[in-house]
Amino acid sequence: MSNSEPRLPVLVNMTTGERYVLNSPTISLGRHPDNQIVLPDDGYASSNHARIYWDQGQWLVEDLQSSNGTKVNEDLITTPHPLSPYDVVRVGRTEFRIE
């Protein structure tokens, strides 16, 4: 890997410390087992809650019409929201930090 290639961001579960490298153009989050990041114990997360995706040179998070919404840094998002390092994404009661 050359130094000119961007480093892939990592999503860190702030409770469990689990780390998920964003190495796919779309990462889905929710309780349903078909998601790349499955949250089976979070009763506040919807089956298909949110997705993080790469578009036009940046990572975005989008709420997928979940029951309880998706937050970035405590702000409820209603449209796709760009992500930056150290942002905190809340899906249900689960919080992830972008590294």
Side-chain angles (χ1 to χ4, degrees), residues 19-81:
R19 300 170 66 83
Y20 305 92
V21 177
L22 301 183
N23 59 3
S24 173
T26 299
I27 307 286
S28 59
L29 302 92
R31 284 196 338 263
H32 195 277
D34 285 348
N35 289 292
Q36 283 95 340
I37 299 176
V38 182
L39 306 169
D41 301 325
D42 188 337
Y44 288 81
S46 295
S47 292
N48 297 298
H49 195 104
R51 73 181 182 121
I52 295 174
Y53 63 99
W54 180 256
D55 186 50
Q56 297 182 13
Q58 65 181 350
W59 288 97
L60 300 147
V61 62
E62 176 181 31
D63 184 74
L64 299 177
Q65 300 179 340
S66 66
S67 300
N68 293 307
T70 300
K71 290 184 175 182
V72 176
N73 303 326
E74 298 300 322
D75 295 325
L76 192 64
I77 63 169
T78 56
T79 59
H81 188 281

